[in-house]
Every structure is written in C-alpha cells, then in structure tokens.
C-alpha cells in the first residue's frame, strides 16, 4: 500500500485567512486527488492534481478558492483561500498508484475548523 | 453522472450477528463499485471492489459484497461481526475511462455507521 501523510492533521483558522495543506506520498503515484468531507456529509471530489500543469476542478470548485500544486510525483498541496465557516471540513488527499489495478489510497485527512 | 445512496445512516448490531449494509447506485453507464471503511480517527481503507467478473466479491476482514446489475445494488455483508468492525462504511462508484481503468474519481454515498454492541 501507499503511505500518505498530510500536514497539518488539524487546524483552527480565522475567517478570511488561508491554509495550505500538504500531501506527501512515500512512492511515485500516477494520480493525486483532493477530496472534502463536510460535517455529517459524504466525501466530494474537489480536483485532480496534475503534475506540472493546472489542476482539473470538479463542478462547484474553482482555482481561486482552492489553488492546487503538484510539483512532482509524490507531493501536492491544496490551499483553502479566504476561508469562511462553511469551509470547515476534513480535506483528504487520495492517490492512484497504477493504471491497471485501480489501487487507490487515502490520506488520514486534515480536519479544518474555521471560526 | 452517477449517484450513490446508502439506505441506512446507522446500523446497530450485536456482536456475532450478521450484518448487511445497503448500497444502491444510479448511472447511465457501467461503473466500478467500492466499499471503504473509516475507523474512528483513521483514514479510509478499501474493503473490496468490483471491477468485472464474478458478481460476488470478497474483501478483507471477512466482508463480501454482491453486485446486482438489475437492481443496481452493491450490498455489503458479513456473517458474524466483531466489536472491532465498529466504523463508518462508505459505498462508492467510479466510471471507467476508455482504457478500462479507474482514475480515482469516486462518487461516495453518505456513509453508514455500523455500531457493534457486546
């Protein structure tokens, strides 16, 4: 399995500020994704982090609010910009290691609370 | 677009009893199906997946699921649960791309909290 770490594991932030979440994988992966799990709700895909190019966002998510970087095959960041209490969620990094076996793994998540 | 409905938000059972967690999906195309488990304060872990072939899929920890195309269901079962099975379970689907592989874009159900009582 792939070992995925996320930093920070949790944070409490003030409205209007920004937080950058890091995702580090212990081996090269084919694809990286960012998901959000709002309180009491299911996981929703935010975007696909593309190496060396702009991320691909799902409907309802925009780059200005959730800028994403992926400088190499093992690392990605997600920034939650100009935060409001509605952004309070768990943010999860997910990776797919191979194109054949559909091996997909999730990080432990970053629990964000916005006051 | 696809959607996933988990019919029970919470399922309480006693230890050693059988359990079934229900999942229905909606999609206009073929899908891959997954069950994930999230233990308290831990990340998501894959229990099992259906990509093709036999409709009965066996996973880790004694869980199994059956794909029923006509009923668009993928219910998760375990014949005898343990206290350690207490967790939240998520059903998910993804759409295969033209190459027949899944690229990690999962649509999740709302989750079912399984609580196993002694």
């Amino acid at each position: 399995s792939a070992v995925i770490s996320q930093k920070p594991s949790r944070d409490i932030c003030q409205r209007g500020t920004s937080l950058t979440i890091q995702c580090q994988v212990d081996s090269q992966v084919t694809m990286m994704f960012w998901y959000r799990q709002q309180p009491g709700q299911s996981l929703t895909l935010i975007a696909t982090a593309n190496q060396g190019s702009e991320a691909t966002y799902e409907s309802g998510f925009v780059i200005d609010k959730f800028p994403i970087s992926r400088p190499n095959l093992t690392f990605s960041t997600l920034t939650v910009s100009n935060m409001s209490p509605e952004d309070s969620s768990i943010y999860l990094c997910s990776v797919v290691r191979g194109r054949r076996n559909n091996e997909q793994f999730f990080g432990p998540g970053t629990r964000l609370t916005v006051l | 677009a696809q959607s996933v409905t988990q019919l029970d938000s919470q399922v309480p059972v006693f230890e050693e009893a059988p359990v079934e967690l229900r999942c229905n999906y909606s999609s206009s195309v073929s899908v891959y199906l997954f069950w994930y488990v999230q233990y308290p304060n831990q990340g998501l872990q894959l229990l099992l997946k259906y990509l093709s072939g036999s409709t009965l899929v066996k996973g880790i920890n004694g869980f199994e699921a059956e794909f029923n195309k006509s009923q668009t269901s993928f219910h998760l079962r375990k014949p005898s649960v343990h206290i350690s099975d207490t967790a939240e379970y998520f059903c998910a689907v993804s759409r295969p791309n033209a190459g027949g592989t899944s690229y990690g874009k999962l649509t999740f159900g709302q989750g079912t909290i399984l609580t196993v009582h002694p």
Side-chain angles (χ1 to χ4, degrees):
Chain A
S1 64
V3 177
I4 306 171
S5 61
Q6 287 187 230
K7 291 182 180 179
S9 59
R10 58 178 63 225
D11 207 342
I12 300 173
C13 300
Q14 296 297 319
R15 181 196 299 261
T17 63
S18 297
L19 177 71
T20 296
I21 302 168
Q22 298 179 2
C23 175
Q24 178 73 55
V25 192
D26 67 337
S27 59
Q28 292 184 355
V29 293
T30 307
M31 305 190 75
M32 298 181 78
F33 305 88
W34 286 98
Y35 283 81
R36 179 175 74 179
Q37 186 177 17
Q38 292 178 297
Q41 298 190 31
S42 188
L43 289 86
T44 303
L45 178 63
I46 297 172
T48 303
N50 299 310
Q51 186 199 359
S53 64
E54 193 171 288
T56 305
Y57 291 85
E58 299 299 307
S59 175
F61 298 96
V62 295
I63 187 171
D64 290 345
K65 177 67 176 177
F66 297 102
I68 289 171
S69 77
R70 189 183 172 191
N72 57 50
L73 293 175
T74 64
F75 185 78
S76 177
T77 66
L78 166 75
T79 299
V80 186
S81 303
N82 188 24
M83 288 184 285
S84 66
E86 292 71 33
D87 294 320
S88 297
S89 297
I90 299 174
Y91 292 86
L92 297 104
C93 174
S94 177
V95 304
V96 172
R97 189 163 61 184
R99 293 182 184 272
R100 288 176 175 261
N101 296 325
N102 303 291
E103 296 182 277
Q104 183 164 8
F105 306 96
F106 285 82
T110 295
R111 185 179 294 271
L112 171 61
T113 302
V114 184
L115 303 178
Chain B
Q2 52 262 20
S3 65
V4 180
T5 302
Q6 291 182 239
L7 298 164
D8 307 293
S9 59
Q10 298 193 48
V11 174
V13 294
F14 287 106
E15 194 173 19
E16 297 184 6
V19 70
E20 178 179 82
L21 306 184
R22 297 179 293 169
C23 172
N24 287 92
Y25 70 92
S26 174
S27 177
S28 58
V29 298
S30 297
V31 294
Y32 292 155
L33 296 150
F34 306 82
W35 275 99
Y36 282 86
V37 59
Q38 187 172 35
Y39 297 104
N41 301 315
Q42 295 187 31
L44 282 167
Q45 181 181 4
L46 179 66
L47 271 179
L48 48 81
K49 61 186 177 186
Y50 172 80
L51 305 181
S52 65
S54 173
T55 57
L56 182 63
V57 181
K58 294 188 182 298
I60 62 171
N61 300 340
F63 284 94
E64 65 180 31
E66 186 159 17
F67 169 54
N68 188 319
K69 187 174 182 179
S70 63
Q71 297 186 6
T72 60
S73 68
F74 191 55
H75 301 333
L76 181 70
R77 302 185 182 98
K78 186 170 183 178
S80 177
V81 294
H82 302 288
I83 297 286
S84 59
D85 292 323
T86 295
E88 187 162 18
Y89 292 78
F90 292 93
C91 181
V93 303
S94 72
R95 180 178 171 177
N97 70 348
T101 58
S102 170
Y103 282 101
K105 294 187 176 184
L106 298 171
T107 299
F108 283 86
Q110 293 294 98
T112 298
I113 297 174
L114 173 65
T115 304
V116 181
H117 299 284

